[in-house]
Structures are given as structure tokens and as C-alpha cells.
């Protein structure tokens, strides 16, 4: 493979950002435990994506969920 093609392939790969994250990554992101997240998934209290047997989370949906469940001050 030529250097130009290799450079183009590397650049296009770097431009791709992940949309789905694992339960452990979301646990770290939210500060919730993995067990708590699994409980919330089983009760359908948090948005998630099923990919076969895997449970994945869309970070945009998680951010929206956090906003909706945030308690706002009265004043």
C-alpha cells in the first residue's frame, strides 16, 4: 500500500467517533455502578441499545436522560 493511501485510511479512521459505549464506560461516565446500571436496564429506567446479547449505550441519549432527570432549583 502506498504511503498516500495509508495516510488517507488513517485520517478517515481518526475522524470516526464512537456513538455506542459499554456499560463499564457509562458507569465511569455517570458515576453509577455497573450493578446499578444493569438494574436500571432491566427495569427500563435508562435508555440503552441491545446489540445481540450486548447492552450498549448511546452517549447522546444518556446526556438527554441526565438532563430530564436533573432536579432544577425553584428560584
Amino acid at each position: 500500500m502506498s504511503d498516500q493511501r495509508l495516510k488517507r485510511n488513517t485520517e478517515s479512521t481518526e475522524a470516526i467517533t464512537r456513538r455506542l459505549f459499554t456499560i463499564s464506560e457509562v458507569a465511569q461516565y455517570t458515576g453509577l455502578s455497573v450493578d446499578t446500571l444493569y438494574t436500571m436496564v432491566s427495569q427500563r429506567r435508562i435508555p440503552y441499545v441491545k446489540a445481540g446479547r450486548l447492552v450498549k449505550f448511546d452517549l447522546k441519549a444518556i446526556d438527554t436522560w441526565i438532563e430530564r432527570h436533573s432536579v432544577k432549583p425553584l428560584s
Side-chain angles (χ1 to χ4, degrees), residues 8-56:
R8 257 185 289 150
N9 287 343
T10 304
E11 289 172 356
S12 65
T13 304
E14 289 174 1
I16 298 173
T17 57
R18 285 191 316 156
R19 183 165 177 179
L20 298 178
F21 292 85
T22 65
I23 198 158
S24 59
E25 291 170 328
V26 172
Q28 186 176 13
Y29 181 75
T30 61
L32 298 170
S33 73
V34 171
D35 290 336
T36 298
L37 285 172
Y38 273 124
T39 299
M40 293 174 85
V41 164
S42 70
Q43 296 171 350
R44 295 181 179 226
R45 292 174 42 209
I46 192 166
Y48 64 95
V49 177
K50 285 290 286 186
R53 291 178 24 198
L54 301 176
V55 174
K56 299 286 186 170

